[in-house]
């Protein structure tokens, strides 16, 4: 969740909805049923989470790491989009693409921020910015 206050500014907080990718002994955790796959706000789900949730049969040989390896970066990008869209700096157009309705030179570093956000919300997990790169 994103919270904004005058004294602290913008804060990203975690409500503990995270899913552990591996158990305490290091073995990969696996979903047992369709609802095991989902966590948090559906508006921030990466495409692979939605697709796996839709198609999950319970017989799939998929681990949480397979599903979530880059979804946190996607969710962070969606949070940035939500924040910037309040100020009219970015929007998602009809084809689902990120666009900037304002003059990029009117806001310092906005062009760089737009590029960063596009890297975060790539529909293809292998094209997303990694935690290490961020």
């Amino acid at each position: 969740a994103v919270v904004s206050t005058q004294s602290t500014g913008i804060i990203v907080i975690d409500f503990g909805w995270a899913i552990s990718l591996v158990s305490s002994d290091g073995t990969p955790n696996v979903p047992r049923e369709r609802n095991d796959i989902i966590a948090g706000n559906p508006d921030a789900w990466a495409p692979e989470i939605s697709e796996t949730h839709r198609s999950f049969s319970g017989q799939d040989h998929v681990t949480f790491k397979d599903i979530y390896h880059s979804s946190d970066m996607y969710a962070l990008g969606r949070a940035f989009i939500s924040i910037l869209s309040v100020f009219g700096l970015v929007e998602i157009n009809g084809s689902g693409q990120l666009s900037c309705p304002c003059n990029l030179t009117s806001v310092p570093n906005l062009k760089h921020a737009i590029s960063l956000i596009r890297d975060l919300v790539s529909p293809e997990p292998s094209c997303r910015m990694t935690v290490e790169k961020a």
Side-chain angles (χ1 to χ4, degrees):
V2 178
V3 178
S4 178
T5 67
Q6 277 189 337
S7 62
T8 59
I10 295 174
I11 303 170
V12 178
I13 57 176
D14 176 11
F15 290 110
W17 291 330
I19 293 173
S20 179
L21 302 181
V22 294
S23 65
S24 59
D25 67 2
T27 58
N29 282 332
V30 297
R32 308 258 185 256
E33 58 185 61
R34 183 184 309 249
N35 285 338
D36 288 346
I37 295 169
I38 56 176
N41 182 343
D43 292 335
W45 288 356
E48 62 273 16
I49 295 172
S50 296
E51 177 57 34
T52 304
H53 181 255
R54 253 191 318 277
S55 65
F56 187 75
S57 69
Q59 303 301 314
D60 305 351
H61 297 287
V62 63
T63 68
F64 284 121
K65 189 172 183 177
D66 295 333
I67 303 167
Y68 286 99
H69 69 279
S70 67
S71 64
D72 285 348
M73 299 309 283
Y74 185 90
L76 182 61
R78 294 296 299 198
F80 287 144
I81 291 169
S82 295
I83 293 167
L84 293 175
S85 65
V86 169
F87 301 103
L89 298 175
V90 299
E91 62 187 19
I92 303 292
N93 64 26
S95 62
Q97 299 297 312
L98 181 66
S99 65
C100 181
C102 66
N103 180 348
L104 286 175
T105 60
S106 66
V107 180
N109 298 317
L110 184 59
K111 186 175 183 179
H112 178 70
I114 299 294
S115 176
L116 170 71
I117 293 168
R118 283 189 177 121
D119 284 349
L120 292 172
V121 297
S122 171
E124 184 58 45
S126 63
C127 296
R128 283 187 209 132
M129 180 179 289
T130 64
V131 173
E132 292 80 16
K133 184 176 177 187

